[in-house]
Amino acid sequence: AVTNVNPYVARMMAAALGLKFADSTRRILMYTKGADRHKEFYAVMRGIFPVQELCGTLTALQMSRRYVLGIDLPLWRVLSPSVALHALANFRGMKPMFKWGSGAPWSEMQLAPWSMADDSTLSQMMKKTFKKLLWLVFISRVVVSCIKNYYMVNRQAVKRFTIYKENKAAFAADVAAEQILKDGN
């Protein structure tokens, strides 16, 4: 029996990084026209956005709650955090799969190299900067939440297989109490 989160996180991260590698390779090969400039910039900058990795981590944490801790989570609860994060990223500017044939990578990331001319006014630039900072804060909070939940689920798994090995009802009560404290209710 698996007693910690690491196998789930490792497998989901491998899958997420594989998808990201395939997507980045496809994008690099797609922008090969003579007029396509700054290909390296877009390939590197797109690799910095941790959306795929965070989606994999969120799914792995929910899977470990379901399978390691034995919490009865329906499939929609396992997948919904990553689906919601990826949907937010798509609404922010990342294109979904059906629009992958685009010839304008900068519109997808809402990012342009500094050497490209931008005729935005100061207020437009401030609005763009604010949106980007808001996204950065949101992604940072998701990262912190993933780290915190990783340690919490690992701690609960150790308790389940050591302290509460014989008493599953006490473990379920402990998990419920921790969830209430976490939610602040």
Side-chain angles (χ1 to χ4, degrees):
V2 178
T3 60
N4 65 24
V5 181
N6 295 339
Y8 293 100
V9 172
R11 289 177 186 143
M12 289 305 291
M13 287 301 283
L17 288 173
L19 285 171
K20 189 171 198 166
F21 176 75
D23 183 46
S24 295
T25 302
R26 181 197 54 81
R27 287 174 193 281
I28 290 169
L29 295 174
M30 195 167 72
Y31 303 123
T32 57
K33 298 176 190 81
D36 292 338
R37 298 179 37 178
H38 311 292
K39 289 180 277 198
E40 298 83 10
F41 173 80
Y42 294 116
V44 170
M45 292 307 290
R46 191 163 197 293
I48 290 175
F49 289 105
V51 174
Q52 300 291 346
E53 294 87 345
L54 286 175
C55 288
T57 303
L58 288 169
T59 303
L61 289 172
Q62 293 297 83
M63 285 174 59
S64 61
R65 282 192 175 144
R66 185 179 187 178
Y67 298 117
V68 176
L69 299 182
I71 298 172
D72 187 28
L73 290 175
L75 184 61
W76 69 269
R77 291 263 325 258
V78 172
L79 298 176
S80 61
S82 5
V83 169
L85 176 64
H86 213 286
L88 284 172
N90 285 343
F91 289 133
R92 184 193 167 272
M94 290 178 60
K95 289 189 178 117
M97 193 180 298
F98 61 87
K99 290 198 174 201
W100 276 2
S102 171
W106 50 90
S107 66
E108 176 179 327
M109 293 189 319
Q110 299 176 356
L111 186 68
W114 293 358
S115 62
M116 287 183 72
D118 187 10
D119 56 351
S120 300
T121 64
L122 181 61
S123 63
Q124 290 173 331
M125 287 176 62
M126 295 300 284
K127 188 186 278 188
K128 289 178 189 178
T129 302
F130 180 72
K131 287 179 184 178
K132 289 176 185 178
L133 284 175
L134 214 66
W135 179 248
L136 178 66
V137 167
F138 177 74
I139 290 292
S140 300
R141 288 196 58 141
V142 172
V143 168
V144 169
S145 172
C146 284
I147 292 168
K148 182 182 80 168
N149 285 326
Y150 173 80
Y151 286 110
M152 187 178 76
V153 171
N154 260 334
R155 188 177 68 230
Q156 288 174 337
V158 168
K159 284 182 184 178
R160 178 180 185 202
F161 292 103
T162 57
I163 298 170
Y164 297 115
K165 187 174 186 176
E166 303 298 325
N167 194 349
K168 296 196 187 297
F171 174 72
D174 186 48
V175 168
E178 282 190 25
Q179 188 65 36
I180 289 171
L181 290 173
K182 179 183 167 195
D183 293 341
N185 292 335

